[in-house]
Each structure stands twice: as C-alpha cells, then as structure tokens.
Amino acid sequence: MIETAARTDVREPVRTDAAIRPGAAAGRVADGAVPLAPLTDAGLEVPVLGGGTVRHVNLDIAASAPALQAVAAHVARVLPYYSSVHRGSGYPSQAATALVEDARASVARHVGARDGDLVVFTRNTTEALNLLATAVPGETVVLDIEHHANLLPWRDRRVVVARTSIAETLAALDAELASRPAALLSVTGASNVTGEVLPIAELARIAHAHGARIAVDAAQLLPHRRVDLSASDLDFIAFSGHKAYAPFGAGALVGRADWLDAAPPFLAGGGAVEHVALEQVGWKTGADRHEAGTPNVVGIAALARALAELERLGDAEREAHEAAVTARLHDGLDALPGVRVIRGFDDADDRLGIATIELERGSVGLVAAALGAEHGISVRAGRFCAHPFFDRVSSRSNGLRASLGAGSTADDVDRFVAALGQLVAEGPAFEYSRTPEGWCPVADDRPRVSFD
C-alpha cells in the first residue's frame, strides 16, 4: 500500500551561516565552531529537491562514519604495497605483513591490552562478538538495552531488563550474577539509541566479584572516548573501524587468550593451521587461529591509523568538542514543541553525541526523508537494531536519531534543529509516498550520483 504525504508550499532549504573551514579558528574547537578533524566528506555538496545544492550535514555518524582525511591519505600510500601476507617472499609482501602486525601492536597499545591478550581482526563488532560467543564456557548475562550485535550471538543468554536508573541497573545485574554462576557479562559501553555511557569499570568490578568475565561492546564508545582494558579491568572489548573513521571493513576483538585458544577456529582454512592431513588437522593458537584466509590488509592498516589519529587529536580535546556540540543539540531539541528526546536512565550524567527523538504526531520516517531530500541533512529513522530497548522506552513505533562526531560543528546542529522545527510545524514542502523502501519523493528531480 502506498501512502502519500500532502504537499505544502515549496520553501528554500533552511540555511545558517556556513561552517568555518577546519583549522580556521583552532581556539574555537572547544565550542564546536569548527570540526575537530577533517573527514573525507568535508564540504560535500548534495542536490536538494527543486534544484540547487547545499552543504551536506552528516548526522548519521553512529551508523557509519566517513574516513578521516588522514586515514584516506594513509590508505592511498599503502595501496601500492598491497600483497599477500606472512608467506610471500617479495618486498611488497613483507611490507603488507609488517602493516598487519604493526597494526596489531598499535591496536593493542591504544586499548590498553595486557601482555598475553590477543588482538583478533574481524570485519566489524558483530563478527567480533559472534567469535567471542563461540568461546564462552557457560552462560552470558546481558542487558535489554543492547544492540542486536550484543544480544543475539550468545547461545546461553540471560537478559536483565535495565531499570530506570543506572544505579538500580547495576544492583539488578549484581543480583542476577549472584543468583547463579555466569561465565560472562557482556554490556555496551554506550547506548546506540540514547548515547548514555555506562560505568564499565564498575560493571567489571561487579562481574569479577561473582567470578564472571566482562566483555564490552565498544562500537559506539571507542570512537568518542578512550577505552582501556587494563585501567577498567575489562576482559574483552569489540569494536568496528567503520564507526571509528576507518570505513574499510575491519574491526577487532581484543582480550584474554585462554578462551579464544580453547575455542574452535572461527573460520577453517589456510593460515589457521600448523599442519593438515586428510584425517587430522593441527590448529594454531593465538590470533592466527581465528583469522583464516587472506586478511583485509587495507582495512586493518586504516583502523590502526584511525586510532592513532584519535590519539593525536587528544582525549580531552575530543571530549570538549563533543560536549559542546552535544549540549547544543540537546538544548535545541528541548526547545522544540512536539519533540521528545528518548532516555533510558534518569541518572545518566554522561552521554555521547547521540539523540533519538520521537514526535507527538507525524512520521519520523517522513521527516527523515524530507531532511535529506529538502535540506541535505542525513539522519536515521527506525529502531536502530535495538528493538527490545527501543520498544520499552518509546511510545511510538520508530524514532529519529541524530548523531555527531569529530567532523560535526555548531552550524550542523543549528541547521538540523531549524529544519526539524520547520518540518514538525509545517510539514514537508514536497509530496512523498510511503513505499516498502520507506518514504520517497513522488517526483525526485535530484540527479543520481555516478562514479563512472
């Protein structure tokens, strides 16, 4: 069935002052006036309905972040040396091998890995957690707030419904782990729906007090905050390059070796074996055990370089920049009538640059489509691969999420809030139909992008 949104008077896209170019006013980074770091989509112009172009505003960073320009430049430098790893005799092969193993050491250092911890390269966080799930020797306890990647892989799963406060949720987890033994507590470092940050060091203390290990889904947290296994006493973390400004198909699982060495190889194939006979296979231990086949050399190099760039930007500088644009975002949303920001906890005093809203009336899917087609602003509508959590804390079937990152500015926030307010008050300027693929302009005069 096709639904149609009524057309109103055609309006110009909402504009504010153009964003200051990166580096134009370094002292203003802390107030969000300039990007913290240049990304590959900086200055991208996109077409809008009715003709013309506007500067693209990317507020879908929580889904996938563009590459840092420094990461893209690094990839361009290493591409000529791409070759087979570990077994090639030529110079490019030796260079590619060094890239992978140097990246492994860099990732380990960035996340505070202990001596003996493994860094296993994967495609993304989902694959990393699925790998860990094959190694857990017992039950896993999770919260209902988890992204599906940290909810679905566990074979023996016990789910604790989060309470209205973090303090009460910690008490509930403590009670659940005390009720009967569990091998693992696996929790998100920060909600991908609300941006609320969990106290992972305190969660680690609770898990260890009951003889369980802890794994942290750091897909959202790591690109914004330093995550340190040693300092927080974590056993495992999983994260993705595509959320950390390295969208080249690599992620990682980092943590204790014993479970991973005892687990069956995640992939069966070349590189994971010591020897093979028709009747018997001798499997390697260590990271090689779970990295059969040709690795994603370019993605791994990009991931390590992205983490190094985040270090170079500085932990305090990253937090200050994000705090400024996040506060501006929430202040703007709080001032809009008919808009409610979704929260999971009433005592969460730390949140990333993520805000998910629901509308008192109207479709967030239609609003998201109009933001993109009429204003050049990318957001996300849906339940964000966290259906149980979203369904519990929301009153509507879908939400609209805006998410910020290192390339975000105060101007981006202002354009979004102004456009959202206009759409909520007046509706879209063009006609849209609801199709199985979502809301789409009935007459889309924007040219299709071509990369030929």
Side-chain angles (χ1 to χ4, degrees):
M1 178 177 179
I2 304 294
E3 298 179 27
T4 302
R7 175 182 175 133
T8 61
D9 292 338
V10 176
R11 298 182 303 269
E12 288 297 316
V14 173
R15 295 173 181 264
T16 60
D17 292 338
I20 299 172
R21 293 180 181 275
R28 300 179 66 193
V29 168
D31 65 9
V34 298
L36 179 66
L39 307 184
T40 51
D41 69 341
L44 177 66
E45 295 280 323
V46 295
V48 291
L49 296 178
T53 63
V54 296
R55 182 182 65 82
H56 179 238
V57 172
N58 188 350
L59 298 184
D60 197 18
I61 300 297
S64 282
L68 286 159
Q69 288 184 3
V71 171
H74 182 63
V75 166
R77 286 193 295 272
V78 305
L79 274 174
Y81 295 92
Y82 176 80
S83 186
S84 62
V85 300
H86 295 136
R87 293 176 294 279
S89 60
Y91 189 85
S93 179
Q94 294 170 9
T97 299
L99 273 171
V100 170
E101 297 311 323
D102 289 350
R104 200 184 307 276
S106 295
V107 169
R109 181 185 52 76
H110 181 84
V111 300
R114 299 157 293 251
D115 291 343
D117 280 350
L118 299 184
V119 175
V120 182
F121 288 119
T122 62
R123 291 182 301 159
N124 46 42
T125 307
T126 301
E127 186 170 89
L129 292 170
N130 274 266
L131 164 58
L132 180 58
T134 68
V136 180
E139 293 183 325
T140 299
V141 172
V142 297
L143 290 168
D144 72 326
I145 72 172
E146 305 299 334
H147 186 283
H148 296 164
N150 195 34
L151 187 67
L152 301 181
W154 313 109
R155 293 172 293 182
D156 298 308
R157 182 183 68 201
R158 289 151 52 187
V159 180
V160 173
V161 176
R163 307 310 198 252
T164 57
S165 71
I166 290 178
E168 292 170 330
T169 301
L170 295 181
L173 284 171
D174 189 39
E176 178 63 30
L177 291 167
S179 68
R180 74 174 191 265
L184 182 69
L185 171 64
S186 189
V187 293
T188 185
S191 169
N192 74 305
V193 176
T194 66
E196 293 164 325
V197 177
L198 275 68
I200 54 177
E202 177 63 13
L203 287 162
R205 186 196 65 76
I206 292 170
H208 294 154
H210 296 288
R213 289 184 174 181
I214 184 170
V216 172
D217 171 357
Q220 292 297 337
L221 184 60
L222 179 135
H224 302 270
R225 307 285 175 79
R226 182 67 71 93
V227 181
D228 191 304
L229 278 87
S230 297
S232 297
D233 200 17
L234 309 177
D235 298 291
F236 301 95
I237 63 167
F239 55 93
S240 298
H242 76 96
K243 295 184 190 296
Y245 312 104
F248 295 90
L253 173 67
V254 185
R256 300 194 183 277
D258 54 350
W259 283 7
L260 295 173
D261 283 344
F266 190 59
L267 296 172
V273 297
E274 295 286 3
H275 61 84
V276 176
L278 294 181
E279 300 81 16
Q280 185 181 16
V281 178
W283 300 102
K284 291 182 178 178
T285 57
D288 287 347
R289 183 180 185 86
H290 301 290
E291 291 182 351
T294 299
N296 179 1
V297 175
V298 173
I300 291 167
L303 173 59
R305 184 52 181 260
L307 298 183
E309 282 298 307
L310 292 179
E311 291 176 13
R312 188 185 65 80
L313 292 172
D315 295 343
E317 289 77 8
R318 285 197 288 155
E319 288 198 38
H321 175 265
E322 183 163 341
V325 290
T326 299
R328 195 179 190 97
L329 173 63
H330 282 278
D331 288 346
L333 292 173
D334 289 343
L336 292 180
V339 172
R340 171 182 172 256
V341 177
I342 293 173
R343 298 195 63 177
F345 304 107
D346 56 22
D347 62 344
D349 58 2
D350 188 11
R351 59 189 173 190
L352 306 181
I354 294 174
T356 296
I357 64 167
E358 58 182 10
L359 304 179
E360 288 182 2
R361 55 186 176 84
S363 166
V364 292
L366 173 59
V367 170
L371 282 168
E374 300 178 24
H375 300 278
I377 300 171
S378 293
V379 294
R380 182 160 296 251
R383 291 186 286 168
F384 319 109
C385 293
H387 294 183
F389 178 45
F390 184 87
D391 291 345
R392 179 169 62 79
V393 298
S394 67
S395 61
R396 303 294 300 272
S397 58
N398 290 289
L400 183 150
R401 184 181 70 188
S403 50
L404 308 166
S408 302
T409 65
D411 182 63
D412 294 341
V413 172
D414 293 347
R415 272 185 56 188
F416 167 65
V417 172
L420 177 63
Q422 186 181 81
L423 287 166
V424 170
E426 305 173 29
F430 292 82
E431 190 176 6
Y432 295 77
S433 63
R434 189 175 183 179
T435 73
E437 290 74 38
W439 288 95
C440 300
V442 170
D444 194 341
D445 60 355
R446 295 173 296 171
R448 288 183 61 120
V449 64
S450 174
F451 298 103
D452 293 337

